[in-house]
Amino acid sequence: MTQRFELIRDADLQRLNSFGVAARARALARADTRDGLVAALDFAASQGLRVEVLGGGSNVLIVNDLDALVLQPQLRGIEWLRQGADGRIRVRAAAGENWHAFVGATLAQGACGLENLALIPGNVGAAPIQNIGAYGVELERFVAAVEAYDRVERRFVRIEAADCGFSYRDSRFKHDGERHLIVAVEFALSASPQLLLDYAGVREELRSLGIANPAPVDVYRAVSAIRQRKLPDPARLGNAGSFFKNPLLPADQALRLKIGHPGLPVYPAAAGLSKLAAGWLIEHCGWKGYRDGDAAVHQQHALVLVNHGHASGRQILALAQRIQADVQARFGVELEIEPRVLRSPVLQ
Ligand code: EPU
């Protein structure tokens, strides 16, 4: 029998998480086929091991060694499907495809829509979990369906976008206890460009690139340039992007805060809520650029926590908790941690 998945016992996870924190797992399994994934899950069950799924590792904080089997789906492939009745271009990408490369591939085929989501780290399979978003676009706008292995029903299922429970940085997959192991995402993209350039900085960037009539690929380049300038490159400085969600508040509460703090950026959101810029709140509590050992708040962006080299997941989490307490005390606003926090109650 050929090996259906690769298995590494007592695996080192440091290079598998973009924070670069040192951590080990009981076992690491990698599978590049659907059968392999199911075999790895069966193996974990036979060993009594909990399973933690890890994609590109760019949106997790690993707090300590994991008493678990870490499963990395490495399924690859981009498949162009027949155009839907709605005239949208349908494309299916396997979970293990790199997100940014996939965005580039869609634009190369003349399929538009994902350009504002350029350069987000991670894999396609993780994108629906937190409903990635940037520069005025959220993934949900372009998802047709998610394909997953349902670990309860033990079969592959297709979940239509309307059933994915998408909202700001959220989906049902964040809350279903790892029930669904995402294997592919089907997208519905536009054949004609509908550019969204209103997010602060995008038009300015296009102008500075000397582009008057932008095409989607120009937006992709502009967004990439802004991200490269504002956000630390995880290959050089460990981080997981924004560490907190921008808080959603009832509009009247947000207005009261705005009156007390006129500089606070407040954006209208769905359902009578307002969204506050968490980066501003953190900066105005004095945390921007703060460093405690190797755990720090990024110099250029207060919403991003960074690892200068040897910070542990626990130290980064402790820093995050101090920031949360401070923002709560100063502004009465609760900050929710955005990346997935992985920790094991057994191994320390
Ligand atoms: N701000 C500050 N101080 C800071 C950082 C930001 O005052 O240190 C203010 C800015 O001046 C601006 C506002 O906060 O007025 C918003 O800042 P920015 O445009 O950088 O966006 P963000 O709200 O901090 C969100 C996403 C990012 C995404 C950007 C761009 C979340 C949690 N984060 O950040 O996503 O790239 O918008 O669209 O929604 C990620 O999720 O990992 C991520 C990087």
Side-chain angles (χ1 to χ4, degrees):
M1 190 184 95
T2 54
Q3 190 72 25
R4 288 192 292 170
F5 61 93
E6 179 193 2
L7 185 72
I8 301 163
R9 289 179 199 272
D10 185 26
D12 184 354
L13 303 178
Q14 189 161 20
R15 292 157 70 94
L16 303 183
N17 73 95
S18 65
F19 254 123
V21 297
R24 306 191 77 81
R26 285 260 189 212
L28 170 71
R30 293 191 172 117
D32 58 9
T33 63
R34 292 186 176 205
D35 280 356
L37 284 178
V38 176
L41 290 171
D42 288 347
F43 171 78
S46 74
Q47 304 289 304
L49 282 172
R50 197 165 54 88
V51 174
E52 295 283 8
V53 180
L54 195 65
S58 57
N59 200 46
V60 293
L61 177 67
I62 307 176
V63 177
N64 54 14
D65 290 343
L66 299 178
D67 187 21
L69 176 134
V70 170
L71 178 55
Q72 273 199 313
Q74 298 195 319
L75 290 82
R76 304 296 301 269
I78 297 174
E79 200 183 335
W80 295 87
L81 309 170
R82 272 192 309 160
Q83 224 170 42
D86 53 5
R88 306 248 269 167
I89 301 173
R90 299 281 176 138
V91 56
R92 179 197 287 128
E97 288 290 331
N98 172 270
W99 173 259
H100 178 64
F102 170 64
V103 173
T106 60
L107 293 172
Q109 292 292 323
C112 314
L114 301 180
E115 53 275 4
N116 295 46
L117 303 177
L119 216 62
I120 295 182
N123 291 348
V124 166
I129 299 175
Q130 58 149 329
N131 185 18
I132 57 171
Y135 301 95
V137 173
E138 279 169 351
L139 184 82
E140 60 180 288
R141 184 191 285 249
F142 298 103
V143 172
V146 168
E147 294 173 10
Y149 181 69
D150 182 336
R151 291 170 61 194
V152 173
E153 293 194 9
R154 299 180 55 82
R155 65 186 178 97
F156 287 93
V157 294
R158 175 187 166 91
I159 304 171
E160 299 300 323
D163 299 323
C164 288
F166 287 129
S167 63
Y168 166 62
R169 286 295 192 280
D170 203 17
S171 75
R172 69 184 284 179
F173 308 111
K174 259 193 174 177
H175 307 284
D176 71 2
E178 307 269 306
R179 171 172 173 172
H180 291 103
L181 181 57
I182 296 176
V183 292
V185 182
E186 188 182 312
F187 296 86
L189 303 176
S190 312
S192 53
Q194 290 170 329
L195 300 184
L196 291 159
L197 308 176
D198 288 337
Y199 195 93
V202 176
R203 286 184 204 280
E204 292 81 346
E205 188 68 30
L206 286 164
R207 213 171 298 130
S208 78
L209 292 171
I211 296 160
N213 295 307
V217 72
D218 297 316
V219 178
Y220 165 91
R221 289 199 188 105
V223 165
S224 299
I226 301 172
R227 290 188 74 98
Q228 271 164 343
R229 213 170 38 241
K230 282 182 102 168
L231 296 167
D233 176 358
R236 290 156 188 252
L237 183 60
N239 75 90
S242 300
F243 199 82
F244 302 99
K245 285 188 185 183
N246 285 322
L248 291 165
L249 262 57
D252 55 339
Q253 192 187 342
L255 185 63
R256 279 198 299 279
L257 272 169
K258 178 87 181 165
I259 291 167
H261 308 278
L264 169 65
V266 177
Y267 316 98
L273 298 174
S274 294
K275 193 190 273 182
L276 309 184
W280 190 97
L281 298 172
I282 297 167
E283 179 174 346
H284 285 77
C285 286
W287 289 98
K288 195 168 181 170
Y290 175 87
R291 182 167 174 172
D292 180 7
D294 278 350
V297 181
H298 190 44
Q299 292 275 2
Q300 275 88 47
H301 205 299
L303 200 49
V304 180
L305 300 191
V306 297
N307 174 11
H308 281 286
H310 300 287
S312 66
R314 204 179 266 132
Q315 285 167 329
I316 292 167
L317 188 61
L319 173 59
Q321 287 164 344
R322 289 173 65 195
I323 293 170
Q324 283 174 312
D326 214 11
V327 169
Q328 176 74 59
R330 174 97 191 267
F331 296 106
V333 174
E334 190 184 336
L335 290 185
E336 189 185 332
I337 290 178
E338 200 283 312
R340 204 151 60 100
V341 176
L342 293 186
R343 72 183 110 198
S344 188
V346 180
L347 295 181
Q348 291 302 316

